[in-house]
Amino acid sequence: GEILTFSSSGSPRRIVATGGARVLFLSRDFFLRRCKCDCPSGDIHAEILRNMLRVLSDHSVMLGKQIRYLSAPDLKTKIAMYLCELHETTRSLTFTMPLNRDRLAEFFAVARPSLSRGLVNLKNAGIIEFRRSSVEILDRAALYTLARG
């Protein structure tokens, strides 16, 4: 719901919780006006505002990455870009992919078997080694060349 807070689009007609849920509705005004109450446990309003901005920022960064990946010419390039990003984030040639293959395939907008085939092709080319979600980059130069498309 945080994305719709300041959107000019209408809100969804129905939201379904998969389990027990509590809903807190905060109007736009809550975020636009400065809190005038003297909150006993500190500035709760400012903390909620910071959290909202962090969530929106994280979501924006994730969407930017997804656009970059979806703009890649082929799946091999998408996978290479993703693995290079993880290499740069972890500063290690061996790391664990945070997304499982189902989620990663969904993120790349491809079928899971296609993603698995792409990973196997990189493995067979001697560029990476992997077991489940653990990846080791064997040929960093080749991986970065692929990532550039």
Side-chain angles (χ1 to χ4, degrees), residues 40-51:
S41 61
D43 193 357
I44 295 171
H45 184 267
E47 185 176 348
I48 291 172
L49 188 56
R50 273 192 304 275
N51 288 342

Side-chain angles (χ1 to χ4, degrees), residues 2-9 27-29 31-32 52 56:
E2 70 279 349
I3 298 299
L4 296 172
T5 302
F6 293 100
S7 173
S8 59
S9 303
S27 69
R28 287 182 190 179
D29 290 340
F31 297 100
L32 297 174
M52 174 72 151
L56 289 172

Side-chain angles (χ1 to χ4, degrees), residues 6-31:
F6 293 100
S7 173
S8 59
S9 303
S11 62
R13 303 228 186 280
R14 183 174 76 162
I15 298 174
V16 179
T18 57
R22 290 176 39 185
V23 177
L24 172 64
F25 177 78
L26 300 172
S27 69
R28 287 182 190 179
D29 290 340
F30 177 86
F31 297 100

Side-chain angles (χ1 to χ4, degrees), residues 68-85:
R68 261 193 17 251
Y69 292 130
L70 292 175
S71 301
D74 55 39
L75 181 57
K76 188 186 288 189
T77 304
K78 291 177 188 181
I79 295 169
M81 289 169 62
Y82 179 71
L83 295 177
C84 287
E85 180 183 326

Side-chain angles (χ1 to χ4, degrees), residues 59-125:
H59 191 76
S60 178
V61 167
M62 187 274 304
L63 288 174
K65 286 179 185 179
Q66 191 169 22
I67 288 169
R68 261 193 17 251
Y69 292 130
L70 292 175
S71 301
D74 55 39
L75 181 57
K76 188 186 288 189
T77 304
K78 291 177 188 181
I79 295 169
M81 289 169 62
Y82 179 71
L83 295 177
C84 287
E85 180 183 326
L86 291 176
H87 168 251
E88 290 166 7
T89 301
T90 62
R91 298 180 181 179
S92 175
L93 293 174
T94 304
F95 49 83
T96 301
M97 292 192 297
L99 298 177
N100 66 31
R101 289 198 199 165
D102 289 325
R103 295 291 309 266
L104 188 56
E106 183 180 308
F107 187 70
F108 287 158
V110 299
R112 187 186 184 284
S114 298
L115 174 65
S116 292
R117 212 171 16 259
L119 288 167
V120 167
N121 288 342
L122 291 175
K123 180 179 180 175
N124 291 342

